């Protein structure tokens, strides 16, 4: 499929997934444009993680399609899948490798958790990795072991690793849920900056509504597996909040 300028970075169309007969997400459709930061909100169990696993190709939907830059995310090693970078709540770094080595894993497309592989990377790969560390403000920590970095720094290394993949879309499932408020703001500001400057799309689930309102361009709300709201952040008001969380206790 030819990619045209206004093709969304992500287009989910009618995506459904059930586990043992219980629907986790139902008929979910939404899109993420270039230079757009979309926050996904919803109470616990609403289906956010299931949706994110479908968007990254880790889980095959029962129904519907996920397209990345117009190309269906299909096979495990397809181009579309490589162009989606994932950021996790628990960072998922290799603790005993340094920051640079962890970022280089983004050039591999997977994490090789053994030493001695650094020399297999070309000079250009190593330069890309250093450039990505600089982008997240951690060039000085390039040779520091991952497990000696703070949580916020570890998440920024994970974002550098995502960038090293040269993605068109970054998918982040609760990326600040394990961080203190200061580090959370740092990570979300970084992601928003990347959206603005690199032209990637970001789709990010968040537990705190106020963070979504502060950083997202658009809010997609899931309730019981369905899209309950999909609106520009400026339109997200009390009614939208109630529509989404109903009687569930506020997050
Ligand atoms: N691997 C799985 N096996 C069985 N049920 C699952 C699995 N993953 C998720 N679910 C169920 O799907 C629903 C949505 O879960 P999830 O996507 O994790 O929601 P959220 O991330 O919004 O909390 C829940 O009812 C959950 O129990
Ligand atoms: Mg979840």
């Amino acid at each position: 499929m030819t990619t045209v300028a206004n093709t969304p970075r992500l287009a989910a169309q009618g995506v459904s997934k059930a586990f043992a007969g219980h629907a986790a997400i139902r008929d979910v459709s939404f899109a993420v444009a270039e230079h757009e930061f979309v926050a996904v909100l919803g109470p616990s169990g609403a289906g956010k993680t299931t949706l994110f696993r479908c968007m990254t190709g880790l889980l095959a939907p029962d129904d519907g399609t996920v397209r990345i830059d117009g190309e269906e995310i299909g096979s495990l090693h397809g181009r579309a899948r490589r162009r989606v970078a994932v950021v996790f709540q628990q960072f998922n770094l290799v603790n005993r490798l340094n920051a640079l080595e962890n970022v280089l894993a983004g050039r591999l497309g997977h994490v090789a958790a053994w030493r001695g592989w650094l020399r297999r990377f070309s000079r250009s790969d190593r330069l890309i990795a250093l450039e990505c560390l600089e982008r997240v403000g951690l060039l000085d920590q390039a040779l520091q072991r991952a497990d000696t970095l703070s949580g916020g720094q570890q998440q920024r290394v994970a974002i550098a690793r995502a960038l090293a993949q040269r993605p068109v879309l970054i998918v982040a499932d609760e990326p600040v849920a394990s961080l203190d408020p200061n580090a959370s703001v740092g990570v979300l500001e970084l992601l928003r900056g990347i959206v603005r400057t690199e032209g990637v799309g970001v789709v990010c689930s968040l537990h705190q509504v106020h963070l979504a309102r502060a950083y997202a361009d658009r809010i997609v709300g899931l309730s019981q597996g369905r899209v309950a709201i999909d609106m520009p952040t400026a339109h997200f008001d009390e009614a939208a909040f109630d529509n989404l969380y109903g009687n569930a206790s506020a997050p």
Side-chain angles (χ1 to χ4, degrees):
M1 188 170 182
T2 315
T3 301
V4 293
N6 59 357
T7 302
R9 291 315 205 185
L10 170 97
Q13 187 63 50
V15 177
S16 299
K17 180 74 190 177
F19 296 105
H22 172 82
I25 49 173
R26 306 179 235 205
D27 197 20
V28 170
S29 301
F30 75 106
V32 181
E34 191 182 3
H35 293 296
E36 190 175 37
F37 188 134
V38 173
V40 175
L41 297 180
S44 182
K48 302 180 296 295
T49 295
T50 303
L51 174 63
F52 278 51
R53 293 179 68 210
C54 290
M55 291 190 297
T56 54
L58 288 171
L59 195 61
D62 299 332
D63 251 312
T65 57
V66 174
R67 288 198 165 79
I68 305 299
D69 255 4
E71 189 179 319
E72 201 165 328
I73 196 159
S75 75
L76 210 64
H77 302 290
R79 194 177 69 96
R81 186 173 169 185
R82 283 200 312 273
R83 304 210 70 194
V84 179
V86 190
V87 173
F88 302 91
Q89 177 179 341
Q90 297 298 343
F91 327 131
N92 291 23
L93 301 182
V94 181
N95 282 331
R96 59 194 188 80
L97 298 183
N98 66 35
L100 177 62
E101 291 165 327
N102 270 286
V103 176
L104 276 165
R107 299 298 298 162
L108 273 182
H110 65 273
V111 176
W114 43 278
R115 283 196 179 274
W117 52 283
L118 190 58
R119 64 178 170 274
R120 300 192 317 154
F121 289 95
S122 66
R123 182 182 161 78
S124 91
D125 276 340
R126 280 177 281 161
L127 285 172
I128 287 170
L130 287 168
E131 183 193 296
C132 293
L133 273 176
E134 184 167 41
R135 179 70 184 82
V136 304
L138 289 175
L139 193 53
D140 288 347
Q141 282 76 24
L143 302 181
Q144 201 171 319
R145 258 178 73 128
D147 56 5
T148 66
L149 298 168
S150 71
Q153 288 175 325
Q154 289 192 46
Q155 195 59 299
R156 279 150 61 201
V157 171
I159 292 169
R161 177 179 63 192
L163 288 176
Q165 216 178 309
R166 295 289 195 241
V168 298
L169 182 77
I170 295 176
V171 173
D173 192 7
E174 306 261 14
V176 302
S178 303
L179 302 178
D180 65 45
N182 270 340
S184 298
V185 161
V187 161
L188 291 172
E189 266 171 11
L190 177 63
L191 284 173
R192 190 173 59 179
I194 286 166
V195 164
R196 297 288 181 264
T197 58
E198 324 287 323
V200 300
V202 165
V203 53
C204 172
S205 64
L206 291 169
H207 199 63
Q208 293 113 314
V209 173
H210 73 95
L211 291 176
R213 298 183 78 165
Y215 292 100
D217 300 307
R218 208 151 51 79
I219 294 178
V220 170
L222 286 187
S223 173
Q224 297 181 0
R226 294 183 188 278
V227 175
I229 60 163
D230 182 349
M231 54 178 59
T233 302
H235 295 181
F236 187 85
D237 55 11
E238 220 167 292
F241 180 93
D242 288 345
N243 187 3
L244 193 51
Y245 291 98
N247 292 327
S249 56

